[in-house]
Amino acid sequence: MVRIAETCLNVLYQHGLSSAQFQFCFERAKHDLLADDMACDAIVAEVMQSMEGHPDSATLFGLLLDEARMGVENDSPYGKVFLENAEKAIKARIATGTGEPLHRLKIAGLYRRAGLPVPDILMLDPVGENPADEIPMPDLDGALAALAADVEAEGGGAYEFFSGLDEMSAGMPEDAKAAFVHHLLSLDNPFLERCALYWLVSGASLTREAVAAGLRERLMRGKLEPETLSYLPIIRGWLPASSARAVIDDIGKLALRQGLAADPHNNRTEPIVSDIMATTADGVGAQGLTYSATIRMRRERQSG
């Protein structure tokens, strides 16, 4: 089985992820790789050595994590087996001193990308360790600004930037992630502000509170973007009853007092139905209905 893993890695290295050669090799080998503990250990060993020096091993590990997630969702035993074997292999490598904190953050990001919970062993604050002292953070603000500019230059948006940062911070304890997101909102960058909105929707409670507090602070500094302010009533409807939602409500009230809330009668969109289609009723009286519409912007000029 270890040889099968080596073969997959060689084909991936030679032909690339999207090649027909690798796709054929992976489809034939994936169930064996998921089921065998020795193959899993070999792949994890490659990943834990250095993701920079062995990017193909990280790619293969990420693909197997995704397959394992689908296996768990479909009640197939191989998914759970692989995740258990992978966590055992990671623990064994860390016990031998392999895996620097930043390196473990990247591996945690593979779990997040696959939609899986991050194993506790990959979190940056395990018992008896204080990795914050080991991780140099030179010019964090400059690095964030440069990353955001790169994403925009490549045609990406705030969601793509959020996804990348969410993967990078997957191994952070929740209080550290909340502090990081709050700091993100302290920077005078509208792109980062839009990025933080995704944590307001999808983050844990502590992170949502940090986003809400950061947005309120931006409003008080006069830095909250009107577009962001217009999104908050919509996002508020998706939030559970919580302190974060209470802060969002407070932002709305403050914006109204400051005259910043949008006038619902101005610049509103009106859908114009252009086509309607319906199916015939079936045997139980059910019927499908669909329509297409265009949106027309109406701007009302106020007389002053």
Side-chain angles (χ1 to χ4, degrees):
M1 291 301 174
V2 175
R3 183 170 295 179
I4 294 177
E6 293 175 351
T7 300
C8 275
L9 286 172
N10 288 334
V11 174
L12 178 59
Y13 175 75
Q14 293 174 8
H15 300 283
L17 178 63
S18 60
S19 67
Q21 292 91 331
F22 174 72
Q23 295 299 323
F24 177 74
C25 177
F26 182 71
E27 285 299 318
R28 291 187 61 187
K30 65 182 181 182
H31 288 101
D32 290 333
L33 295 177
L34 287 166
D36 189 81
D37 59 339
M38 293 182 65
C40 179
D41 187 72
I43 294 169
V44 168
E46 287 288 319
V47 174
M48 293 292 286
Q49 285 181 30
S50 170
M51 290 178 71
E52 289 76 15
H54 301 78
D56 295 322
S57 60
T59 299
L60 180 59
F61 185 57
L63 290 173
L64 291 170
L65 287 175
D66 199 49
E67 291 289 337
R69 174 189 54 77
M70 290 187 285
V72 171
E73 292 173 351
N74 294 322
D75 295 324
S76 298
Y78 64 79
K80 183 179 179 181
V81 167
F82 179 79
L83 295 178
E84 290 175 349
N85 288 336
E87 189 165 350
K88 289 177 184 177
I90 291 170
K91 286 181 179 178
R93 297 290 166 181
I94 291 177
T96 64
T98 306
E100 295 298 320
L102 283 176
H103 186 66
R104 283 153 52 191
L105 271 179
K106 293 180 180 180
I107 298 173
L110 296 176
Y111 277 83
R112 178 60 54 84
R113 186 181 302 175
L116 290 165
V118 177
D120 291 340
I121 192 65
L122 289 174
M123 302 300 287
L124 281 191
D125 62 342
V127 176
E129 178 178 276
N130 185 12
D133 296 336
E134 303 174 22
I135 303 177
M137 298 298 287
D139 191 16
L140 175 62
D141 297 357
L144 287 170
L147 283 171
D150 288 344
V151 170
E152 286 190 290
E154 294 174 3
Y159 178 73
E160 286 75 18
F161 191 54
F162 155 77
S163 297
L165 290 180
D166 194 44
E167 289 178 10
M168 290 170 58
S169 60
M172 288 184 180
E174 196 56 41
D175 56 346
K177 179 182 287 189
F180 169 72
V181 175
H182 187 268
H183 179 75
L184 201 72
L185 283 164
S186 72
L187 306 178
D188 291 334
N189 188 322
F191 187 77
L192 299 180
E193 177 181 294
R194 294 195 300 275
C195 171
L197 289 179
Y198 291 99
W199 272 297
L200 183 60
V201 175
S202 63
S205 59
L206 199 60
T207 302
R208 284 177 170 172
E209 291 172 13
V211 175
L215 292 173
R216 190 182 190 282
E217 291 166 10
R218 290 181 73 87
L219 176 66
M220 299 306 292
R221 298 199 314 268
K223 296 293 185 179
L224 189 64
E225 292 289 308
E227 184 180 17
T228 299
L229 192 58
S230 70
Y231 292 151
L232 293 183
I234 301 171
I235 295 175
R236 190 263 182 206
W238 299 335
L239 299 177
S242 60
S243 57
R245 193 172 77 176
V247 174
I248 297 301
D249 289 341
D250 189 47
I251 291 173
K253 294 174 184 177
L254 290 170
L256 283 172
R257 291 173 194 160
Q258 297 176 21
L260 299 176
D263 184 345
H265 298 294
N266 286 335
N267 299 326
R268 67 187 180 190
T269 59
E270 293 182 347
I272 302 174
V273 177
S274 58
D275 197 10
I276 298 177
M277 294 167 284
T279 64
T280 57
D282 62 17
V284 294
Q287 188 175 29
L289 178 69
T290 186
Y291 69 91
S292 60
T294 58
I295 302 296
R296 180 181 65 191
M297 297 298 296
R298 187 182 77 178
R299 300 185 180 274
E300 296 181 355
R301 183 177 300 172
Q302 293 182 339
S303 61

